[in-house]
Amino acid sequence: MVVFRQELGDVLRDARRAQGRTLRQVSSDARVSLGYLSEIERGQKEASSELLASVADALGLPLSYVLREVSDRVALAEGVVVPDTVPESLARDAGGTELVGAR
């Protein structure tokens, strides 16, 4: 079973390491305790939306990018192919509201 918090932690850790930054640096910039950020990265704690936005901002990443990366990893683990665009049938089901990416 795929656990969202573990995938989220992996995405955050990978982004931090790719930037060559320490947990201490990111936790300071995000105003999150070092221990709590460590637990989030290890998939042991659930991050609130506010905390997640703060960490993404500290990493210089849009929250949508972080969530997309997590979504892509979950889909891969589930063996699901996620299209890059919204299927036309789903866009029509949105009640006449055009969805971003709908074709």
Side-chain angles (χ1 to χ4, degrees):
M1 175 173 79
V2 180
V3 179
F4 180 84
R5 71 175 182 265
Q6 290 174 334
E7 296 299 331
L8 174 62
D10 288 346
V11 167
L12 295 175
R13 184 184 320 104
D14 291 349
R16 177 181 58 77
R17 287 180 175 170
Q19 294 176 10
R21 298 177 66 197
T22 65
L23 265 171
R24 185 172 308 282
Q25 290 169 326
V26 175
S27 70
S28 176
D29 289 348
R31 295 189 174 106
V32 176
S33 78
L34 177 68
Y36 197 68
L37 182 57
S38 175
E39 288 179 312
I40 290 169
E41 281 194 1
R42 289 181 282 135
Q44 295 178 333
K45 294 286 184 184
E46 297 279 350
S48 70
S49 57
E50 292 85 1
L51 185 136
L52 182 54
S54 181
V55 173
D57 187 54
L59 290 167
L61 300 173
L63 181 56
S64 58
Y65 173 83
V66 172
L67 294 175
R68 177 64 190 256
E69 286 296 309
V70 173
S71 176
D72 287 349
R73 289 178 186 217
V74 169
L76 183 63
E78 292 177 336
V80 175
V81 176
V82 179
D84 285 336
T85 60
V86 176
E88 190 174 317
S89 61
L90 181 59
R92 278 195 309 271
D93 292 342
T97 304
E98 186 172 333
L99 300 175
V100 175
R103 288 190 188 181

